[in-house]
Amino acid sequence: MRLIMLSPPGAGKGTHCAWLTEETGVAHISSGDLLRAEIARGSDLGRRLAEYTGRGALVPDDVMFDLLVPVVVAAARDTGGYLLDGFPRTLPQAMRAQQIGRDQGLAADAVVYLTAPEPVLVSRLLARAAEQGRADDTAEVVSHRLAVYAESTAPLIDHYRERGLLMEVDADRPVAEIRDDLRARLGERGLLGSGAGPGR
């Protein structure tokens, strides 16, 4: 299973990717986690990345592809697929990723689009910031991140819908309901068996 999770910040990509990893064994690749790990290392690249993430801006495409492509290739080789969380974020990124996917035989099987009203997203993000002490999730940065998403990422919805890949899922529901919905819809595409258990 090769999935792209396309959703605004706070919609639950990480939560549902973790569950899908348990169900299938394929690797969950979070662009945000990769960025934070690089920043934590304190490298020159990490300091550059911190300048972007600290103000809620998108990281330049070339930097993102340099970080992500080797990880995706290794995940597909080692686990048989990937769950790509938080990338692509823009239409140019999606077009470039599509070409790389074709060239390397790693094209996505489907795109899961988790949706939720903006007040729900803001509430979740601020709660997460308080729980995890994440300095990049201040109220000002949260608002900016959602504005950046609306402007830059929303066009991907139509792009993936036109390609027949988009699966729109209401994420403003109990987690169990969302999982049942995902299991059924991925099952319809032959990507997740109804009897799958943890690790399968």
Side-chain angles (χ1 to χ4, degrees), residues 30-199:
S30 165
S31 60
D33 287 351
L34 290 177
L35 292 173
R36 281 187 286 274
E38 193 68 31
I39 291 169
R41 277 193 285 273
S43 64
D44 288 341
L45 174 59
R47 284 190 288 274
R48 285 172 53 208
L49 293 170
E51 294 178 6
Y52 294 101
T53 61
R55 62 175 186 267
L58 294 178
V59 174
D61 288 1
D62 286 344
V63 179
M64 288 302 305
F65 278 97
D66 287 346
L67 280 173
L68 282 167
V69 170
V71 177
V72 171
V73 170
R77 179 190 66 229
D78 297 339
T79 72
Y82 58 79
L83 303 171
L84 191 51
D85 166 0
F87 192 87
R89 293 281 298 272
T90 67
L91 192 55
Q93 287 176 355
M95 301 299 290
R96 183 169 171 185
Q98 182 178 335
Q99 184 61 53
I100 292 171
R102 279 199 301 261
D103 292 346
Q104 303 203 23
L106 297 172
D109 297 315
V111 177
V112 175
Y113 174 42
L114 298 169
T115 67
E118 183 168 331
V120 173
L121 299 174
V122 171
S123 176
R124 289 178 181 176
L125 290 168
L126 293 179
R128 184 176 71 184
E131 291 169 4
Q132 300 180 4
R134 286 172 57 162
D136 61 337
D137 275 348
T138 64
E140 292 78 13
V141 170
V142 164
S143 295
H144 183 64
R145 286 171 68 194
L146 292 174
V148 168
Y149 166 81
E151 179 179 350
S152 301
T153 311
L156 294 180
I157 298 166
D158 288 336
H159 170 70
Y160 287 125
R161 183 179 287 121
E162 289 169 3
R163 292 181 57 203
L165 294 175
L166 194 75
M167 294 171 41
E168 187 166 346
V169 178
D170 177 7
D172 188 20
R173 296 180 291 170
V175 171
E177 288 185 20
I178 300 170
R179 288 180 178 176
D180 287 345
D181 195 1
L182 281 169
R183 184 189 296 279
R185 297 174 69 178
L186 289 168
E188 290 171 359
R189 293 174 179 249
L191 301 176
L192 184 64
S194 60

